[in-house]
């Protein structure tokens, strides 16, 4: 993208990380719980700033009530909190204030219902199992727990009549937040009510205060708290701010950031919201000044409550989805890396949504290092070459933010994410503006602006150039696959293992090739490139063939050489002719789950992903607890991510077994049993129908 470097430099120079940082401070003051007056005020501020910058901007409003649904996502009521405070009143000698919403809005469990009174406090170990309640009477009392708040609600409040929950846990975020870190900080915790729930109150305590209460509770004296929550829940609204720089053809590029979360939540995600606002302002001012030509596609910037706002907006614009060529999601982009311990990541969309989008973003980011005046870039000690001083990496799709909805193939908007992770202060009261960094905001904001502008402006030449760049990167990917297989073959103990390594390489090359070709085809969204794309695809075919042949030859050589080193391998006699190794797939006896999975084809009945956690309660208790138990046995890759990936691959043609194969190729983890159970639950809930494979 050499020709584009000048455009990027213009954007970089016009972008103000300091202005974005001021906006982080402004937004941090609002308590931006999804569907709340605080979120509404933040939305109004963003809209006003976008108007001030000369964009067209409006606030779209969607129902926040228990009757509404956006695709598979249930809506929920609006919540307003006026006051919330918690005092320790007994033992009298220890009496003191434990929480005040005015000081720390995160000190109340979000969406707490009103309460005014005193309650005895009961200690739960974590309270996630029925056995934790043996010999305990929690009715009318408050419980102290570090367990999952939803689970404790079910067992302590719903089933046993507890009055409220005090939570003193702190999630570990390896390696930046080890066990025992952040003892004086409160973790962001919320209730997600379901229709018919007997709502209750709750508070969040710093672990140090929790430990002090635990000591008191192990003594002889009763421990009592006085709690007051003045709050209300009511049918309200969810706001989405939409601002545009209009183009002149009927296509759009989206730039998305979630605006929600409690105050301050500076990195998560006042940073993304502010970085996007400054990106919008920068592009608008450069275009208005004539420094950049207007784009043919519309640039649309969206600020919304995470997940809910995205499904609300997209489900209201179903007819427009095919006109959106791609998007980008900015979530937690303002990190001061020295404080948070983060790395600046491009998280790729899922493989089922293969496209040009992550490649474009990655190529542009590599180009940032060469930008004039670029902060945090150092020349080498002799001045030859330069490199960034910040940490950066690319990571595989893991979901957890709005790109997981946009990138779903049934939605069809390929969306990479810019994020900084891990973050020592993530989802705590310590996620404050002083832990964000104007330079960090500028890097993500200017990169997002450059990406969106490139896409909005791209015509046939740009699309072709990107295609050639993609081919180069994709070839490197095929070469790496072959190299990894050759390295693995060095460890093979016998010729069967060698043949299996080759068989796996064959499978991996075919998989990669299919994703790469699919990605190249999406260039057609930008321009008509029929012959060029076909030519690029054949070059990838040739590369895969060459790499396979090369790997076979290399393995043959290595085999002979290594036998001389005394490894337990078949030794080739002088003059002996040996067949070169051939790929072979392992034939194993299939498991019951594999046999079942091979016969079932899932058909998706609804657009977008399914937040299964929101529906488990609708199942018979025996079914939901069986699924919960299955999840609990899974180690390693998150079963949540594997199931999301599986749903993306379900196209009404593939069997569950074929889907499990693809998920394995994508995420490195094969779990047919989990996926069979998952699709059966979705079938029960009506989100897919499982049909037998036609004979
Ligand atoms: Zn977030």
């Amino acid at each position: 993208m050499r020709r584009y470097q000048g455009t990027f430099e213009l954007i970089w120079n016009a972008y103000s990380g300091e202005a974005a940082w001021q906006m982080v401070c402004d937004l941090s003051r609002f308590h931006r719980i999804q569907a709340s007056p605080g979120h509404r005020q933040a939305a109004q501020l963003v809209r006003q700033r976008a108007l001030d910058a000369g964009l067209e901007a409006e606030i779209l409003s969607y129902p926040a009530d228990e009757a509404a649904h956006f695709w598979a996502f249930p809506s929920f009521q609006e919540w307003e909190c006026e006051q919330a405070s918690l005092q320790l009143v007994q033992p009298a000698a220890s009496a003191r204030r434990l929480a005040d919403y005015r000081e720390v809005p995160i000190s109340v469990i979000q969406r707490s219902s009103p309460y005014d009174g005193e309650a005895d406090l009961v200690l739960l170990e974590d309270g996630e199992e029925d056995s934790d309640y043996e010999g305990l009477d929690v009715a009318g009392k408050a419980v102290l727990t570090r367990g999952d708040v939803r689970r404790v609600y079910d067992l302590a409040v719903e089933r046993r009549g507890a009055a409220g929950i005090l939570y003193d846990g702190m999630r570990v975020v390896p390696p930046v937040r080890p066990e025992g870190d952040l003892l004086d900080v409160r973790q962001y915790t919320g209730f997600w009510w379901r229709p018919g729930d007997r709502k209750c109150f709750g508070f969040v305590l710093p672990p140090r205060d929790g430990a002090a209460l635990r000591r008191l509770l192990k003594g002889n004296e009763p421990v009592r708290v006085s709690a007051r929550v003045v709050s209300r829940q009511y049918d309200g609204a969810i706001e989405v701010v939409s601002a545009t720089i209009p183009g002149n053809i009927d296509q759009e590029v989206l730039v998305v950031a979630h605006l929600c979360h409690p105050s301050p939540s500076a990195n998560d995600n006042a940073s993304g919201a502010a970085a996007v606002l400054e990106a919008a302002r920068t592009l608008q001012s450069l275009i208005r000044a004539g420094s950049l030509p207007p784009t043919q596609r519309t640039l649309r910037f969206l600020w919304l409550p995470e997940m809910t706002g995205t499904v609300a907006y997209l489900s209201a614009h179903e007819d427009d989805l095919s006109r959106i060529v791609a998007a980008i999601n900015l979530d937690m982009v303002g990190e001061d890396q020295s404080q948070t311990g983060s790395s600046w990541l491009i998280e790729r969309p899922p493989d089922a949504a293969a496209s040009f989008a992550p490649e474009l973003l990655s190529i542009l980011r590599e180009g940032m290092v060469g930008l004039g005046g670029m902060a945090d870039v150092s020349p080498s000690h002799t001045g030859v070459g330069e490199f960034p001083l910040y940490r950066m990496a690319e990571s595989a799709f893991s979901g957890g933010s709005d790109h997981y909805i946009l990138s779903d193939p049934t939605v069809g908007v390929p969306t990479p994410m810019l994020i900084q992770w891990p973050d020592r202060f993530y989802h705590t009261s310590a996620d404050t503006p002083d832990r964000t960094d104007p330079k960090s905001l500028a890097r993500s904001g200017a990169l997002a602006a450059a990406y969106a502008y490139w896409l909005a402006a791209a015509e046939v030449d740009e699309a072709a150039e990107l295609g050639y760049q993609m081919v180069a990167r994709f070839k490197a990917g095929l070469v790496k696959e072959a190299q990894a297989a050759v390295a693995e073959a060095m460890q093979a103990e016998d010729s069967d293992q060698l043949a299996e390594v080759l068989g796996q390489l064959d499978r991996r090359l075919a998989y990669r090739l299919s994703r790469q070709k699919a990605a190249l085809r999406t260039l057609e969204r930008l321009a008509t490139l029929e012959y060029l794309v076909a030519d690029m695809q054949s070059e990838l075919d040739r590369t895969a063939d060459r790499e396979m042949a090369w790997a076979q030859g290399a393995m043959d050589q290595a085999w002979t050489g290594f036998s001389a080193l005394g490894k337990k391998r078949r030794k080739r006699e002088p003059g002996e002719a040996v067949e070169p190794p051939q790929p072979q797939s392992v034939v194993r006896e299939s498991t019951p789950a594999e046999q079942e999975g091979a016969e079932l084809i899932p058909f998706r009945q609804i657009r977008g992903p399914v937040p299964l956690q929101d529906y488990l309660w609708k199942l018979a208790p025996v079914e939901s607890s069986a699924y919960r138990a299955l999840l609990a046995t899974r180690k390693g890759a998150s079963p949540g991510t594997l199931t999301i990936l599986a749903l993306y691959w379900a196209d009404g043609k593939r069997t569950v077994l074929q889907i499990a194969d693809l998920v394995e190729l994508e995420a490195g983890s094969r779990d047919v049993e989990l996926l069979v159970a998952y699709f059966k639950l979705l079938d029960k809930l009506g989100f897919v129908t499982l049909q037998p494979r036609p004979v």
Side-chain angles (χ1 to χ4, degrees):
M1 309 276 165
R2 286 188 79 103
R3 282 183 304 153
Y4 191 65
Q5 208 60 5
T7 303
F8 200 168
E9 202 169 323
L10 265 180
I11 293 171
W12 173 258
N13 289 330
Y15 192 98
S16 169
E18 294 289 344
W21 189 81
Q22 293 293 343
M23 187 65 181
V24 169
C25 298
D26 292 346
L27 287 173
S28 294
R29 291 188 194 101
F30 296 107
H31 192 51
R32 313 177 305 278
I33 293 299
Q34 309 201 329
S36 71
H39 184 270
R40 184 164 305 121
Q41 287 156 12
Q44 284 158 352
L45 177 68
V46 170
R47 174 177 166 272
Q48 190 54 51
R49 295 279 170 94
L51 288 173
D52 294 346
L55 282 91
E56 296 175 11
E58 58 179 338
I59 293 184
L60 306 167
S61 181
Y62 302 95
D65 60 52
E66 291 184 341
H69 270 77
F70 314 112
W71 292 336
F73 287 70
S75 181
F76 43 81
Q77 285 190 309
E78 184 165 328
W79 178 71
E80 175 171 30
C81 187
E82 256 178 52
Q83 301 177 26
S85 58
L86 181 73
Q87 313 277 336
L88 177 63
V89 291
Q90 229 183 315
S94 310
R96 64 193 187 89
R97 179 168 79 239
L98 292 172
D100 188 333
Y101 177 72
R102 294 171 308 160
E103 293 173 354
V104 184
I106 282 176
S107 64
V108 67
I109 298 184
Q110 307 305 315
R111 295 179 203 80
S112 274
S113 65
Y115 186 84
D116 192 3
E118 283 191 11
D120 284 333
L121 190 60
V122 178
L123 177 62
L124 294 177
E125 220 19 85
D126 62 23
E128 292 182 11
E129 299 302 329
D130 273 311
S131 55
D132 294 343
Y133 296 84
E134 271 165 29
L136 283 186
D137 173 20
V138 300
K141 300 174 183 172
V143 295
L144 177 64
T145 179
R146 292 180 190 139
D148 174 72
V149 163
R150 177 73 231 182
R151 184 78 182 144
V152 173
Y153 166 82
D154 282 343
L155 296 182
V157 179
E158 182 88 33
R159 205 171 298 174
R160 294 178 174 83
I165 297 174
L166 307 191
Y167 175 79
D168 66 335
M170 179 58 64
R171 179 186 149 177
V172 167
V173 180
V176 297
R177 189 198 299 165
E179 193 77 53
D181 194 19
L182 303 188
L183 290 177
D184 297 306
V185 162
R186 299 173 207 243
Q187 182 175 298
Y188 164 32
T189 310
F191 290 122
W192 289 94
W193 301 118
R194 302 177 300 217
D197 272 344
R198 214 184 65 170
K199 295 170 184 160
C200 69
F201 75 90
F203 285 90
V204 183
L205 305 175
R208 193 189 305 278
D209 288 355
L213 282 182
R214 282 162 191 271
R215 280 194 295 277
L216 288 176
L217 283 160
K218 284 173 185 158
N220 296 324
E221 274 188 89
V223 178
R224 266 178 93 71
V225 291
S226 165
R228 180 169 154 82
V229 179
V230 182
S231 67
R232 56 189 198 107
Q233 275 195 270
Y234 47 95
D235 290 353
I238 289 167
E239 293 80 23
V240 171
V241 186
S242 167
T244 53
I245 303 175
N248 55 31
I249 65 168
D250 200 16
Q251 284 189 327
E252 286 190 355
V253 177
L254 299 186
V255 183
V256 177
H258 76 78
L259 184 60
C260 63
H261 280 18
S263 173
S265 295
N267 271 312
D268 186 14
N269 189 33
S271 69
V276 168
L277 182 68
E278 179 60 12
R281 186 210 62 83
T282 300
L283 292 178
Q284 170 67 17
S285 71
L286 288 171
I287 292 170
R288 191 175 40 198
S291 309
L292 286 180
T295 60
Q296 51 166 348
R297 299 180 184 88
T298 293
L299 286 153
R300 185 181 297 277
F301 305 88
L302 294 174
W303 295 264
L304 24 71
E306 196 170 19
M307 317 298 188
T308 325
T310 301
V311 274
Y313 177 86
L314 294 172
S315 63
H317 293 85
E318 283 207 355
D319 295 341
D320 302 331
L321 296 180
S322 62
R323 303 191 299 103
I324 307 172
V325 296
I328 183 169
N329 180 31
L330 279 75
D331 194 352
M332 304 178 64
V333 294
E335 260 76 350
D336 174 346
Q337 294 193 337
S338 63
Q339 293 190 67
T340 60
S342 64
S343 182
W344 184 35
L345 306 179
I346 290 178
E347 181 175 317
R348 301 176 64 86
D351 282 355
S355 77
F356 57 77
E359 314 305 330
L360 172 65
L361 187 59
S362 180
I363 292 162
L364 291 174
R365 186 166 73 159
E366 285 163 15
M368 285 189 86
V369 176
L371 287 176
M374 175 76 196
D376 269 351
V377 167
S378 165
S380 74
H381 73 290
T382 62
V384 180
E386 53 184 5
F387 46 83
L389 293 173
Y390 42 89
R391 288 183 291 267
M392 60 191 238
E394 280 192 32
S395 64
F397 176 81
S398 79
S401 185
D402 299 286
H403 62 304
Y404 117 96
I405 295 164
L406 286 150
S407 295
D408 185 316
T410 59
V411 180
V413 182
T415 310
M417 167 164 72
L418 288 176
I419 189 167
Q420 295 242 7
W421 189 259
D423 180 335
R424 184 175 172 217
F425 308 104
Y426 165 72
H427 276 196
T428 71
S429 50
D431 179 5
T432 45
D434 54 310
R435 286 171 173 125
T436 62
D437 169 13
K439 285 190 285 191
S440 188
L441 287 160
R443 283 195 291 271
S444 275
L447 177 59
Y451 166 93
Y453 183 82
W454 188 98
L455 279 171
E459 295 184 34
V460 67
D461 284 354
E462 287 78 15
E465 189 193 348
L466 176 57
Y468 286 117
Q469 295 258 15
M470 287 165 69
V471 168
R473 297 164 71 86
F474 289 170
K475 283 160 83 171
L478 298 171
V479 169
K480 272 188 198 159
E481 287 288 2
Q483 163 54 27
V486 169
E488 208 186 329
M490 300 285 191
Q491 310 294 321
E493 295 286 339
D494 56 43
S495 57
D496 279 353
Q497 277 185 21
L498 192 64
E500 192 187 332
V501 171
L502 263 181
Q504 289 292 351
L505 174 61
D506 204 27
R507 182 171 168 248
R508 294 208 58 84
L509 285 175
Y511 173 74
R512 261 199 191 253
L513 205 51
S514 82
R515 296 301 85 212
Q516 295 176 345
K517 289 179 171 180
L520 284 173
R521 278 196 297 277
T522 61
L523 289 170
E524 299 278 349
R525 291 175 178 214
L526 303 177
T528 307
L529 291 170
E530 211 177 326
Y531 299 109
L532 202 54
V533 167
D535 194 38
M536 289 169 175
Q537 290 178 331
S538 345
E539 173 59 9
L540 294 176
D541 276 327
R542 287 191 293 272
T543 307
D545 287 347
R546 274 197 303 270
E547 287 307 308
M548 189 67 196
W550 161 252
Q552 262 173 298
M555 286 180 200
D556 190 29
Q557 290 289 332
W559 195 247
T560 317
F562 270 72
S563 64
L565 294 174
K567 300 233 171 169
K568 270 202 273 170
R569 288 181 177 156
R570 188 187 173 289
K571 188 158 182 168
R572 187 181 295 186
E573 299 301 329
E576 181 195 355
V578 179
E579 284 292 303
Q582 294 300 320
Q584 175 184 307
S585 44
V586 227
V587 185
R588 292 178 292 105
E589 208 168 314
S590 50
T591 64
E594 285 171 331
Q595 287 168 17
E596 197 177 5
E599 297 305 320
L600 294 172
I601 298 180
F603 290 78
R604 300 182 65 175
Q605 301 298 309
I606 192 164
R607 235 193 256 268
V610 176
L612 186 57
Q613 287 304 323
D614 292 347
Y615 290 93
L616 287 179
W617 64 279
K618 285 196 171 180
L619 300 163
V622 53
E623 284 172 329
S624 55
S625 49
Y627 191 67
R628 213 189 309 275
L630 182 69
L631 295 186
T633 60
R634 266 44 192 178
K635 309 256 184 297
S638 144
T641 303
L642 298 182
T643 53
I644 288 163
L645 292 173
L647 192 60
Y648 293 151
W649 286 113
D651 63 352
K653 297 185 193 96
R654 301 183 174 108
T655 66
V656 177
L657 183 62
Q658 287 167 330
I659 290 170
D661 279 336
L662 290 166
V663 172
E664 181 189 8
L665 284 159
E666 177 167 10
S669 184
R670 180 186 177 82
D671 197 337
V672 189
E673 188 192 10
L674 169 73
L675 298 187
V676 168
Y678 171 72
F679 280 114
K680 282 182 169 174
L681 286 190
L682 291 195
D683 177 83
K684 275 218 170 83
L685 293 164
F687 295 120
V688 305
T689 59
L690 268 179
Q691 294 181 18
R693 181 171 59 93
V695 190

Coordinates of all heavy atoms in Angstrom, one line a residue, residues 364-407:
L364 N -2.1 -2.4 6.9 CA -2.0 -1.0 7.3 C -1.3 -0.8 8.6 O -0.5 0.2 8.7 CB -3.4 -0.4 7.4 CG -4.2 -0.2 6.1 CD1 -5.7 0.2 6.3 CD2 -3.5 0.7 5.1
R365 N -1.5 -1.7 9.5 CA -0.8 -1.6 10.8 C 0.7 -1.7 10.6 O 1.5 -1.0 11.2 CB -1.3 -2.5 11.9 CG -0.6 -2.3 13.2 CD -1.3 -3.0 14.3 NE -1.0 -4.4 14.4 CZ -1.2 -5.2 15.5 NH1 -1.6 -4.6 16.6 NH2 -1.0 -6.4 15.4
E366 N 1.1 -2.6 9.8 CA 2.6 -2.8 9.5 C 3.1 -1.5 8.9 O 4.2 -1.0 9.2 CB 2.8 -3.9 8.5 CG 2.7 -5.3 9.2 CD 2.5 -6.4 8.2 OE1 2.8 -6.2 7.0 OE2 2.1 -7.5 8.6
G367 N 2.3 -0.8 8.1 CA 2.7 0.5 7.5 C 2.8 1.6 8.5 O 3.5 2.6 8.2
M368 N 2.2 1.5 9.6 CA 2.3 2.6 10.6 C 3.7 2.9 11.1 O 4.0 4.0 11.4 CB 1.4 2.2 11.9 CG 0.0 2.3 11.6 SD -0.9 2.1 13.2 CE -0.9 3.8 13.8
V369 N 4.5 1.8 11.1 CA 5.8 2.0 11.6 C 6.6 3.0 10.7 O 7.4 3.8 11.2 CB 6.6 0.6 11.7 CG1 8.0 0.8 12.1 CG2 5.9 -0.3 12.6
G370 N 6.3 3.0 9.5 CA 6.9 3.9 8.6 C 6.4 5.3 8.5 O 6.8 6.2 7.7
L371 N 5.4 5.6 9.3 CA 4.7 7.0 9.3 C 5.7 8.0 9.8 O 6.2 7.9 10.9 CB 3.4 7.0 10.1 CG 2.3 6.2 9.5 CD1 1.1 6.3 10.4 CD2 1.9 6.9 8.1
G372 N 5.7 9.2 9.2 CA 6.5 10.3 9.7 C 5.9 10.8 11.0 O 4.7 10.8 11.2
G373 N 6.7 11.1 12.0 CA 6.3 11.7 13.2 C 5.6 10.7 14.1 O 5.0 11.0 15.1
M374 N 5.7 9.4 13.8 CA 5.1 8.4 14.5 C 5.7 8.2 15.9 O 6.8 8.1 16.1 CB 5.2 7.1 13.7 CG 4.7 5.8 14.4 SD 2.9 5.8 14.3 CE 2.6 4.6 15.5
A375 N 4.8 8.4 16.9 CA 5.3 8.2 18.3 C 5.7 6.8 18.6 O 5.1 5.9 18.0 CB 4.2 8.7 19.2
D376 N 6.6 6.6 19.5 CA 6.9 5.3 20.0 C 7.5 4.4 18.9 O 7.4 3.2 19.0 CB 5.7 4.6 20.6 CG 5.5 4.9 22.1 OD1 6.5 5.4 22.6 OD2 4.5 4.5 22.6
V377 N 8.2 5.0 17.9 CA 8.9 4.2 17.0 C 10.4 4.6 17.2 O 10.7 5.8 17.3 CB 8.5 4.5 15.5 CG1 9.5 3.9 14.6 CG2 7.1 3.9 15.3
S378 N 11.3 3.6 17.3 CA 12.7 3.9 17.5 C 13.5 3.4 16.4 O 13.3 2.4 15.8 CB 13.1 3.1 18.8 OG 14.5 3.1 18.9
P379 N 14.5 4.3 16.0 CA 15.5 3.8 15.0 C 16.4 2.8 15.7 O 16.6 2.8 16.9 CB 16.3 5.0 14.6 CG 16.1 6.0 15.7 CD 14.8 5.6 16.4
S380 N 17.1 1.9 15.0 CA 18.1 1.0 15.6 C 19.3 1.8 16.0 O 19.4 3.0 15.7 CB 18.5 0.0 14.5 OG 19.4 0.6 13.6
H381 N 20.2 1.2 16.8 CA 21.2 2.1 17.4 C 22.2 2.6 16.4 O 22.9 3.5 16.6 CB 21.9 1.3 18.5 CG 22.9 0.2 18.1 ND1 22.4 -0.9 17.6 CD2 24.2 0.1 18.1 CE1 23.4 -1.7 17.3 NE2 24.5 -1.1 17.6
T382 N 22.2 2.0 15.2 CA 23.1 2.7 14.1 C 22.2 3.5 13.2 O 22.7 4.0 12.2 CB 23.8 1.6 13.3 OG1 22.9 0.8 12.7 CG2 24.7 0.8 14.2
G383 N 20.9 3.5 13.4 CA 20.0 4.3 12.6 C 19.5 3.6 11.3 O 18.9 4.1 10.5
V384 N 19.9 2.3 11.2 CA 19.4 1.5 10.1 C 18.2 0.8 10.5 O 18.2 -0.1 11.3 CB 20.5 0.5 9.6 CG1 20.0 -0.3 8.4 CG2 21.8 1.2 9.3
G385 N 17.1 1.2 9.9 CA 15.8 0.5 10.2 C 15.2 1.1 11.5 O 15.8 1.7 12.3
E386 N 13.9 0.8 11.6 CA 13.2 1.3 12.8 C 12.1 0.3 13.2 O 11.7 -0.6 12.4 CB 12.5 2.7 12.6 CG 11.7 2.8 11.4 CD 11.2 4.2 11.1 OE1 11.6 5.1 11.8 OE2 10.4 4.3 10.2
F387 N 11.7 0.4 14.4 CA 10.7 -0.6 14.9 C 9.9 0.0 16.1 O 10.3 1.0 16.7 CB 11.5 -1.8 15.5 CG 12.6 -1.5 16.3 CD1 12.4 -1.2 17.7 CD2 13.9 -1.3 15.8 CE1 13.5 -0.8 18.5 CE2 15.0 -1.0 16.6 CZ 14.8 -0.7 18.0
P388 N 8.7 -0.5 16.3 CA 7.8 0.0 17.3 C 8.3 -0.4 18.7 O 8.9 -1.4 18.9 CB 6.5 -0.6 17.0 CG 6.8 -1.9 16.3 CD 8.0 -1.6 15.6
L389 N 8.0 0.5 19.7 CA 8.4 0.2 21.1 C 7.2 -0.3 21.9 O 7.3 -0.7 23.0 CB 8.9 1.5 21.7 CG 10.2 2.0 21.2 CD1 10.6 3.4 21.8 CD2 11.3 1.0 21.5
Y390 N 6.0 -0.4 21.3 CA 4.9 -0.9 21.9 C 4.8 -2.4 21.6 O 5.3 -2.9 20.6 CB 3.6 -0.2 21.6 CG 3.5 0.1 20.1 CD1 2.9 -0.8 19.2 CD2 4.0 1.4 19.6 CE1 2.8 -0.5 17.9 CE2 3.9 1.6 18.3 CZ 3.3 0.7 17.4 OH 3.2 1.0 16.1
R391 N 4.0 -3.1 22.5 CA 3.8 -4.6 22.2 C 2.6 -4.7 21.2 O 1.6 -4.0 21.4 CB 3.4 -5.3 23.5 CG 4.6 -5.5 24.4 CD 4.2 -6.3 25.6 NE 3.3 -5.6 26.5 CZ 3.7 -4.9 27.5 NH1 5.0 -4.8 27.8 NH2 2.8 -4.2 28.3
M392 N 2.7 -5.5 20.2 CA 1.6 -5.8 19.3 C 1.6 -7.2 18.9 O 2.7 -7.9 18.8 CB 1.6 -4.8 18.2 CG 2.8 -4.9 17.3 SD 2.8 -3.4 16.2 CE 2.8 -4.2 14.6
A393 N 0.5 -7.7 18.5 CA 0.4 -9.1 18.1 C -0.9 -9.2 17.3 O -1.8 -8.3 17.3 CB 0.4 -10.1 19.3
E394 N -1.1 -10.4 16.6 CA -2.4 -10.7 16.0 C -2.9 -12.0 16.8 O -2.1 -12.8 17.1 CB -2.2 -11.1 14.5 CG -2.1 -9.8 13.7 CD -2.3 -10.1 12.2 OE1 -3.0 -11.0 11.8 OE2 -1.7 -9.3 11.5
S395 N -4.2 -12.0 17.0 CA -4.7 -13.2 17.7 C -5.9 -13.7 17.0 O -6.6 -13.1 16.2 CB -5.1 -12.7 19.1 OG -6.2 -11.8 19.1
A396 N -6.1 -15.0 17.2 CA -7.2 -15.7 16.5 C -8.5 -15.3 17.1 O -8.6 -14.7 18.2 CB -7.0 -17.2 16.8
F397 N -9.6 -15.5 16.4 CA -10.9 -15.1 16.9 C -11.2 -15.7 18.2 O -11.0 -16.9 18.4 CB -12.0 -15.5 15.9 CG -13.4 -15.3 16.3 CD1 -13.9 -14.0 16.2 CD2 -14.1 -16.2 17.0 CE1 -15.2 -13.7 16.6 CE2 -15.4 -16.0 17.4 CZ -16.0 -14.7 17.2
S398 N -11.6 -14.9 19.2 CA -12.1 -15.5 20.4 C -13.5 -14.9 20.8 O -14.1 -15.4 21.8 CB -11.1 -15.4 21.5 OG -11.1 -14.1 22.1
G399 N -14.0 -13.9 20.1 CA -15.3 -13.4 20.4 C -15.4 -12.5 21.6 O -14.4 -11.8 21.9
G400 N -16.5 -12.4 22.3 CA -16.6 -11.6 23.5 C -16.8 -10.1 23.2 O -16.8 -9.3 24.2
S401 N -17.0 -9.7 22.0 CA -17.4 -8.3 21.7 C -18.2 -8.2 20.5 O -18.5 -9.3 19.9 CB -16.1 -7.4 21.6 OG -16.5 -6.0 21.5
D402 N -18.5 -7.0 20.0 CA -19.5 -6.9 18.9 C -19.1 -7.5 17.6 O -20.0 -7.8 16.8 CB -19.8 -5.4 18.7 CG -20.4 -4.8 20.0 OD1 -21.6 -5.1 20.3 OD2 -19.7 -4.1 20.8
H403 N -17.8 -7.7 17.4 CA -17.4 -8.3 16.1 C -17.9 -9.7 16.0 O -18.0 -10.3 14.9 CB -15.9 -8.3 16.0 CG -15.2 -9.1 17.1 ND1 -15.4 -8.8 18.4 CD2 -14.3 -10.1 17.0 CE1 -14.6 -9.6 19.1 NE2 -14.0 -10.4 18.3
Y404 N -18.3 -10.4 17.1 CA -18.8 -11.7 17.1 C -20.2 -11.8 16.5 O -20.6 -12.8 15.9 CB -18.6 -12.4 18.5 CG -19.9 -12.8 19.2 CD1 -20.3 -14.2 19.1 CD2 -20.6 -12.0 20.0 CE1 -21.4 -14.6 19.9 CE2 -21.7 -12.4 20.7 CZ -22.1 -13.7 20.7 OH -23.2 -14.1 21.4
I405 N -20.9 -10.7 16.6 CA -22.2 -10.7 15.9 C -22.1 -10.3 14.5 O -22.6 -10.9 13.6 CB -23.1 -9.7 16.7 CG1 -23.4 -10.2 18.1 CG2 -24.4 -9.4 15.9 CD1 -23.9 -9.1 19.1
L406 N -21.3 -9.2 14.2 CA -21.2 -8.7 12.8 C -20.6 -9.8 11.9 O -21.0 -10.0 10.7 CB -20.3 -7.5 12.8 CG -21.0 -6.2 13.3 CD1 -20.0 -5.3 14.0 CD2 -21.8 -5.5 12.2
S407 N -19.6 -10.5 12.4 CA -18.9 -11.5 11.6 C -19.6 -12.8 11.3 O -19.2 -13.6 10.5 CB -17.5 -11.8 12.2 OG -16.7 -10.7 12.2

